[in-house]
Amino acid sequence: MTFEGEVQTFRGPLGVGDLGTTLMHEHVFVGHPELDLNFPHPEWDEEGLVDTAVDGLERLWELGIRTVVDLTVLGLGRDSARVARVAARTRVNLVASTGYYTADVLPAYFHTHGPGLLVDGPEPLVEYFLRDIEVGVADTGVRAGMLKVVTDRPGLTPDVRRVMDAAAVAHQQTGVPVTTHTHAASRNGRDQLAFLTARGVSAERLIIGHSGDTVDLDYLRELMDAGATIGMDRFGMEHLLSDEARVATVLSLLRLGYADRMVLSHDAAFFSRVTPPSWRAEHAPHWHMENLSLRILPRLLAGGATEEQLHQMLVLNPGRLLAPGPGPTMKEVGP
Ligand SMILES: [Zn+2]
């Protein structure tokens, strides 16, 4: 199995074959810059949480995790200089991302800036996404390795469409893969797939995220049969769906032959203002980045998954997807 191309990480370009076991949807820190500036969260402690993240990533390294994709894009309090401080102190490779997280509307700035708007000019979202991918995020020099878009309960609102349009343009110019946040209960991965493929994003380059929040196998198979990869990426979010149900879904899909169409992750964070550490400790104690290694992979194996299938989902699929460009279609390897 050969991989080609380089993935941009906080340490610079890394050969796709060197990514190793990869968590495809995580967050180092999630915040809200304006709230954080004016009303700092009582549980936020800059230095302490940088240490927490470094220690947590080093524990992941000991568990065999080599790469973590940080999908904290604009709208989630992205602070890549802060993440760079973490990245400099851990052996785990961190991948930065670009995109815009909004379920419904963009900030007012985007309503006055853009083609045909009051302050007429090119689409700023395209400019920002391209700068992040081609030049670097803020002034860190770290280039983004993934694009992220969101649809939630409100569906394809005008601003959500605008973000997805811009992501499609940036994808076509750079070959960086597109990953998504969905509201799986609405099965709106279908809308994302239709919208993005109509704009030139190959389904092969697309990860429909949070797909593990549903147990609707027909819906999930429909996405994968179209060529997309699904993110079974919220292990530990048992306040939404039990890990038992998430494991059963992955096992069912493995039995149906979909090992080459799933990636595994947690959507966890070392700190999130949305659901702060004290809340997580009380309501979702397994929602952390060690959950797969400690609890889930053993359950998958006990349920009949093979080591080869786990390797496919944790190493080969991430490599195939993170490699910029159309990429080779890599099927499950035989034992
Ligand atoms: Zn996320």
Side-chain angles (χ1 to χ4, degrees):
M1 188 67 54
T2 54
F3 296 93
E4 284 175 20
E6 287 180 330
V7 178
Q8 299 297 328
T9 75
F10 273 77
R11 260 191 288 279
L14 181 70
V16 175
D18 296 323
L19 286 169
T21 301
T22 300
L23 301 180
M24 289 289 273
H25 190 133
E26 305 291 349
H27 299 275
V28 180
F29 304 119
V30 175
H32 186 290
E34 198 174 20
L35 283 174
D36 297 342
L37 192 62
N38 291 281
F39 304 99
H41 194 277
E43 293 180 43
W44 175 256
D45 160 24
E46 174 89 23
E47 295 313 313
L49 282 157
V50 166
D51 288 345
T52 297
V54 170
D55 294 346
L57 289 164
E58 283 300 292
R59 282 199 304 278
L60 289 181
W61 179 276
E62 298 298 337
L63 290 167
I65 307 295
R66 292 294 173 266
T67 303
V68 172
V69 181
D70 183 2
L71 289 180
T72 311
V73 295
L74 298 167
L76 289 174
R78 186 179 73 173
D79 183 342
S80 296
R82 181 184 286 150
V83 178
R85 292 174 55 213
V86 173
R89 291 172 50 198
T90 177
R91 291 168 288 179
V92 173
N93 305 299
L94 291 172
V95 176
S97 55
T98 189
Y100 209 108
Y101 186 100
T102 179
D104 38 35
V105 292
L106 287 163
Y109 169 82
F110 294 99
H111 297 159
T112 56
H113 288 69
L117 297 177
L118 193 62
V119 186
D120 200 3
E123 171 57 77
L125 289 168
V126 170
E127 189 188 324
Y128 295 170
F129 297 168
L130 287 175
R131 192 194 302 168
D132 280 349
I133 294 166
E134 293 177 336
V135 180
V137 176
D139 56 0
T140 60
V142 176
R143 293 167 58 188
M146 275 198 127
L147 280 152
K148 179 182 179 183
V149 300
V150 172
T151 54
D152 206 282
R153 255 180 253 264
L156 293 171
T157 69
D159 279 3
V160 165
R161 297 169 73 94
R162 188 171 164 191
V163 171
M164 288 170 65
D165 265 324
V169 171
H171 166 79
Q172 287 199 313
Q173 292 193 28
T174 63
V176 163
V178 180
T179 192
T180 77
H181 164 113
T182 57
H183 182 242
S186 310
R187 295 167 181 74
N188 58 19
R190 284 176 182 141
D191 305 335
Q192 295 177 338
L193 185 63
F195 187 97
L196 289 166
T197 53
R199 284 156 183 78
V201 181
S202 161
E204 302 277 338
R205 305 295 297 141
L206 187 56
I207 301 164
I208 304 294
H210 308 338
S211 291
D213 285 351
T214 179
V215 297
D216 181 346
L217 297 185
D218 290 338
Y219 163 66
L220 299 174
R221 293 178 70 182
E222 182 186 327
L223 299 175
M224 294 187 285
D225 289 343
T229 298
I230 59 173
M232 309 306 269
D233 53 17
R234 284 180 150 181
F235 283 100
M237 287 182 72
E238 297 198 275
H239 50 295
L240 290 182
L241 183 68
S242 71
D243 278 349
E244 190 184 352
R246 294 175 190 275
V247 165
T249 305
V250 171
L251 286 171
S252 296
L253 293 172
L254 288 176
R255 282 193 290 272
L256 291 166
Y258 289 100
D260 65 331
R261 291 289 160 219
M262 292 187 276
V263 291
L264 310 179
S265 210
H266 308 92
D267 199 13
F270 294 109
F271 177 89
S272 171
R273 184 160 185 142
V274 182
T275 43
S278 61
W279 184 91
R280 292 183 183 213
E282 187 181 345
H283 299 281
H286 301 301
W287 190 18
H288 53 73
M289 294 178 213
E290 294 165 50
N291 189 33
L292 270 169
S293 304
L294 298 178
R295 294 172 69 247
I296 304 303
L297 300 182
R299 290 184 191 190
L300 288 171
L301 288 168
T306 65
E307 292 282 1
E308 288 73 21
Q309 287 172 328
L310 299 189
H311 184 74
Q312 180 81 40
M313 295 187 287
L314 290 162
V315 180
L316 301 184
N317 296 346
R320 177 189 76 218
L321 289 154
L322 286 168
T329 301
M330 286 182 292
K331 295 289 181 186
E332 184 182 345
V333 288

